[in-house]
Amino acid sequence: MRTFRQLAAGSALRIPLLLWSIAVIFPIIWMLLSALKSNAEIFVSPWGLPNVFNFDNFTKAWSDYHIGQSFLNTAVVTGVGTALNLALAIPTAYALERVRFRGSRLLHNVYLSAMMIPMVLGWIPLFFMLMKLHMLNNLLGLAVVYAVTKVPFSIFILTSFIGSIPRELEESATMDGLSPYGVLFRIITPLAMTGIVTVTIMNAIQFWNEYFMALIFLQSQEKYTLGVAMDFLNKKAQYENAWGILFAGLSVAMIPVLVLYAFFQRHIVRGMIEGAVKG
């Protein structure tokens, strides 16, 4: 039998977590239900259930307000940025962790210290750099910026996993005739897959939700990502009484991230814990 003190201690921990969960989940549920209501229902019964589940708001948001195009733009930027980030971070992390050369430790510290620099300090230089390269208002340019800015974080995670892999495996593979690139992609990469999955999911979620750089570097509506499109739709909703459409657009923007995080939550937590322990 659990004592009263044990029950009280357990409740003291669970009750705040339960209240916090309700505070986080309730606005999401309310947004999803509001997306299924007409504008009249939203004003008459903002906290009630919809009389009829109406998906017209999603259809109008997707086509009439160009959320479908913004969804595709965001998917392209997120996919390209995540893939490019891995292409840059995996070889760099391997070189910094395994290849010893003069200044390697200093270079490693420079990468890690770059994580401490606020991105807002780089927005103006990046704007003029992209303008000179004719990559303003360009989804590829935005994806490159996303990928490069997250390289220090990816290296920080991946070096911990690569450092935990026994060097004997690399030596054996080298004796069997594998080149350094073969060792990296056929030995190191599969063994560090937990870290790679963690980096991939965390970066993808951040790229999907990013707003400020997309607002600065994208200048035409057909190139907007979901973050900028939602801000644009929010301003239009105030004058066009399109609140149901706004909630539908927010749902479209949020659901993929929620599903992705819920599906890979265990991998992310395990990757962060293992990376901290191994590092």
Side-chain angles (χ1 to χ4, degrees):
M1 289 286 296
R2 299 179 62 184
T3 64
F4 176 78
R5 181 175 297 181
Q6 290 174 327
L7 292 173
S11 299
L13 178 63
R14 292 187 179 91
I15 290 176
L17 292 176
L18 178 62
L19 294 176
W20 175 254
S21 299
I22 294 173
V24 171
I25 294 173
F26 179 77
I28 298 175
I29 296 176
W30 179 77
M31 177 191 69
L32 293 173
L33 292 176
S34 298
L36 299 172
K37 296 179 179 180
S38 64
N39 286 325
E41 285 184 285
I42 292 174
F43 286 103
V44 172
S45 179
W47 308 112
L49 295 174
N51 294 327
V52 178
F53 288 98
N54 188 349
F55 293 91
D56 289 344
N57 290 329
F58 288 92
T59 303
K60 293 178 181 178
W62 188 266
S63 56
D64 297 349
Y65 289 83
H66 311 292
I67 297 303
Q69 181 63 49
S70 298
F71 187 96
L72 179 61
N73 294 341
T74 306
V76 169
V77 170
T78 301
V80 173
T82 303
L84 182 58
N85 176 269
L86 291 177
L88 294 172
I90 293 175
T92 304
Y94 175 70
L96 292 174
E97 183 62 33
R98 286 296 202 242
V99 181
R100 295 305 177 193
F101 55 91
R102 182 176 297 179
S104 61
R105 183 51 55 186
L106 175 62
L107 183 60
H108 185 256
N109 291 334
V110 168
Y111 272 109
L112 295 185
S113 62
M115 296 172 57
M116 304 296 109
I117 301 176
M119 268 308 301
V120 65
L121 299 179
W123 290 348
I124 294 177
L126 282 172
F127 180 88
F128 287 105
M129 183 183 298
L130 292 176
M131 183 172 62
K132 289 184 177 181
L133 294 174
H134 304 286
M135 296 185 72
L136 274 180
N137 198 34
N138 187 302
L139 295 177
L140 178 60
L142 182 62
V144 170
V145 171
Y146 284 173
V148 172
T149 54
K150 295 301 293 182
V151 165
F153 167 77
S154 300
I155 290 175
F156 171 71
I157 298 296
L158 293 175
T159 49
S160 300
F161 285 88
I162 294 174
S164 67
I165 299 173
R167 291 180 179 270
E168 290 78 7
L169 294 176
E170 299 175 55
E171 295 172 357
S172 299
T174 303
M175 292 177 63
D176 290 338
L178 277 182
S179 65
Y181 289 103
V183 172
L184 172 59
F185 293 112
R186 298 181 64 179
I187 304 298
I188 300 299
T189 300
L191 293 176
M193 190 54 65
T194 301
I196 293 173
V197 171
T198 301
V199 166
T200 300
I201 300 304
M202 295 188 70
N203 285 340
I205 290 175
Q206 184 159 352
F207 296 164
W208 185 276
N209 292 324
E210 204 281 326
Y211 168 74
F212 288 105
M213 285 190 286
L215 177 66
I216 295 171
F217 302 142
L218 300 178
Q219 300 171 335
S220 58
Q221 186 176 356
E222 64 269 13
K223 297 292 181 66
Y224 283 172
T225 57
L226 281 171
V228 184
M230 286 302 98
D231 180 55
F232 182 75
L233 179 55
N234 178 48
K235 294 174 182 177
K236 293 190 69 174
Q238 299 178 37
Y239 301 101
E240 298 181 7
N241 195 26
W243 298 108
I245 296 174
L246 174 62
F247 291 133
L250 291 171
S251 301
V252 170
M254 184 179 295
I255 288 175
V257 177
L258 293 177
V259 172
L260 186 67
Y261 184 80
F263 187 76
F264 288 100
Q265 180 183 8
R266 292 184 179 179
H267 296 276
I268 296 173
V269 174
R270 185 178 65 184
M272 296 300 292
I273 293 175
E274 291 183 4
V277 173
K278 293 175 182 178

